[in-house]
Amino acid sequence: MKKITKILKRMFITIIVLVLAIVAGVYFYMQQPQFGKAPSGERLERIKKSKNYKDGAFQNLNLTPSLAEGYTMSGVLWDFLFTKYPNTSPLDSIPSVKVDWNNLKPEDNILIWFGHSSYFIQLEGKKYLIDPVFSGNASPISGTTKAFPGSDICLTDDIPEIDYLLITHDHYDHLDYSTVKAIIPKVKKVVTGLGVGSHLEYWGYKPEIITELDWNESVNLYDSTTIYTVPARHFSGRTLKRNNTLWLSFILETRNIKLFLGGDSGYDTHFKEIGEKHGPFDLVLLEDGQYDVKWKYIHLLPEEVVKAAKDLNAKRLMPVHNSKFKLGNHPWNEPMVRVTAEAQKKNMPLLTPMIGEPIHLNDSIYSYKEWWGGLK
């Protein structure tokens, strides 16, 4: 009996040591710079004054469960680890167009999509870069969430000087450490949500070039160009701590063009409210991809993308958040198939350019092929 007791005691000690070693390893790994830095000091004090910050965290306008009714986090994790879903990544290379930056005319008002939620806008001679992820990875662990073949044609070295870097929230597929670190010398100004500047300062951005806004605030950029920040239904966080920075969408408005630049969001009443207050929009960009009925409250389903565009009073819709990374369980091309069908059904003009293919924002007629058709 004593021998068995000693064996059990040794096993228990071994397990404790292993657990402590794993915890220590995770802790020290998470001290790496890509995990960012939580808001503190004056930044945190400003956050605490926001009406959208309660009980130590930012809150959505309406109750927003992480998972839909009937699902559990343990069940979703088990599903993620052990359920095999078909066609979640393409076998073929994603078609794309290499951007000719040298022949970009300053008078052209254009938008260029780089896959997922990264895109470039030139408007009235000013250059904007939104949620750039050019490292080929959408995870803090290198090589774990790799870009689809063909989708990662834009490199940080390619990017021209940027007047305004816009960051919708601090998730890894929108705020990429390697990318934003590399483009520091090219960025003149940054506009983002409350708290996100803490990461950027930690990575080397000067505080005087960073503007952090709450929902329903605005900043005049130059002449008659204004950026408005509006609510989204989502969450934030780069570590185990959630919602200590704000997630949002942008409205970019000039004398002649009004764009809705949507961050990640589930469907809710805010789209209708934004449309009534700020619409109509010449073009709205809305996330369409990495969805699942299990987390429908924080990501739009394809049919909801069109519904949200209608709520926003959009003249045209461009779906993003797809065709570059596998973050959901649906077939990789399903977002484009479903949103196209719904847009046709609801008479919503749809823009579906290839990665790198310029959209001329002043053109009234667009013609794009279903580039995903026939790809495996």
Side-chain angles (χ1 to χ4, degrees):
M1 186 69 181
K2 288 183 178 180
K3 188 175 181 180
I4 294 174
T5 302
K6 286 182 179 180
I7 293 172
L8 291 174
K9 187 176 181 180
R10 288 173 184 170
M11 289 176 60
F12 179 74
I13 292 172
T14 301
I15 291 171
I16 293 297
V17 170
L18 285 172
V19 170
L20 290 175
I22 292 170
V23 170
V26 170
Y27 172 79
F28 285 111
Y29 183 78
M30 292 183 69
Q31 303 313 302
Q32 296 185 78
Q34 66 263 34
F35 290 96
K37 190 173 185 180
S40 61
E42 293 182 6
R43 178 175 277 111
L44 182 57
E45 291 307 309
R46 184 189 173 196
I47 285 172
K48 289 178 178 179
K49 294 176 182 177
S50 169
K51 66 179 182 180
N52 303 305
Y53 188 85
K54 300 173 185 175
D55 301 322
F58 283 106
Q59 309 289 333
N60 284 296
L61 294 176
N62 294 311
L63 178 65
T64 303
S66 298
L67 295 174
E69 295 79 6
Y71 296 99
T72 63
M73 193 59 70
S74 59
V76 169
L77 181 60
W78 178 271
D79 190 45
F80 174 78
L81 292 173
F82 300 108
T83 303
K84 180 79 170 174
Y85 288 91
N87 201 29
T88 53
S89 297
L91 298 176
D92 295 328
S93 181
I94 299 292
S96 58
V97 177
K98 189 70 175 176
V99 180
D100 186 359
W101 296 105
N102 293 327
N103 287 324
L104 194 65
K105 298 177 182 178
E107 65 270 19
D108 287 345
N109 292 331
I110 63 168
L111 184 151
I112 302 171
W113 177 55
F114 303 117
H116 203 66
S117 292
S118 303
Y119 48 96
F120 167 89
I121 296 172
Q122 181 174 275
L123 199 55
E124 296 191 352
K126 299 296 183 180
K127 296 177 174 64
Y128 304 82
L129 188 60
I130 296 85
D131 289 359
V133 180
F134 301 144
S135 66
N137 191 60
S139 163
I141 304 173
S142 180
T144 56
T145 310
K146 295 190 291 186
F148 297 155
S151 69
D152 207 29
I153 63 162
C154 186
L155 305 176
T156 52
D157 289 344
D158 300 331
I159 296 298
E161 190 173 72
I162 297 298
D163 294 292
Y164 298 97
L165 173 65
L166 309 182
I167 303 294
T168 62
H169 63 297
D170 70 0
H171 283 159
Y172 293 98
D173 58 322
H174 294 259
L175 178 58
D176 179 53
Y177 165 72
S178 297
T179 301
V180 298
K181 179 77 174 174
I183 63 175
I184 288 176
K186 299 181 178 183
V187 175
K188 295 180 182 179
K189 297 285 185 180
V190 181
V191 183
T192 188
L194 291 177
V196 179
S198 183
H199 302 308
L200 297 171
E201 281 189 39
Y202 179 51
W203 297 335
Y205 281 77
K206 295 178 181 179
E208 58 266 26
I209 75 166
I210 303 172
T211 299
E212 295 173 72
L213 299 175
D214 203 345
W215 290 340
N216 299 314
E217 292 188 333
S218 64
V219 57
N220 184 259
L221 302 184
Y222 60 95
D223 298 335
S224 60
T225 299
T226 302
I227 281 186
Y228 300 88
T229 53
V230 288
R233 191 184 195 189
H234 199 53
F235 68 104
S236 67
R238 295 178 74 86
T239 62
L240 299 178
K241 172 69 174 176
R242 276 191 170 194
N243 299 349
N244 61 344
T245 64
L246 187 64
W247 53 98
L248 45 71
S249 294
F250 294 105
I251 295 169
L252 180 57
E253 182 176 3
T254 71
R255 276 186 292 262
N256 302 310
I257 294 178
K258 190 184 296 184
L259 308 175
F260 179 84
L261 314 178
D264 287 359
S265 180
Y267 185 78
D268 206 354
T269 57
H270 63 284
F271 288 115
K272 189 74 171 178
E273 292 165 1
I274 293 167
E276 291 173 350
K277 182 177 180 180
H278 294 281
F281 293 97
D282 297 290
L283 174 64
V284 303
L285 290 90
L286 291 170
E287 62 142 336
D288 172 42
Q290 319 323 315
Y291 52 77
D292 196 302
V293 292
K294 302 181 187 71
W295 51 82
K296 65 179 183 178
Y297 292 115
I298 54 175
H299 282 290
L300 293 167
L301 299 173
E303 292 72 27
E304 292 175 326
V305 173
V306 178
K307 185 177 181 182
K310 288 286 189 179
D311 285 352
L312 289 166
N313 197 4
K315 296 178 183 177
R316 296 177 180 86
L317 163 65
M318 179 173 165
V320 296
H321 208 252
N322 58 69
S323 306
K324 190 166 186 175
F325 301 111
K326 178 197 176 301
L327 298 169
N329 297 321
H330 55 69
W332 75 269
N333 55 356
E334 184 186 272
M336 301 305 293
V337 172
R338 285 176 58 178
V339 78
T340 299
E342 186 68 11
Q344 290 173 348
K345 188 187 300 182
K346 298 295 174 62
N347 293 318
M348 171 57 66
L350 199 65
L351 276 63
T352 57
M354 288 189 293
I355 290 173
E357 182 179 5
I359 292 174
H360 291 269
L361 295 171
N362 291 114
D363 288 354
S364 58
I365 299 175
Y366 299 92
S367 178
Y368 298 106
K369 297 179 181 179
E370 294 187 0
W371 56 262
W372 58 92
L375 296 180
K376 296 179 181 178

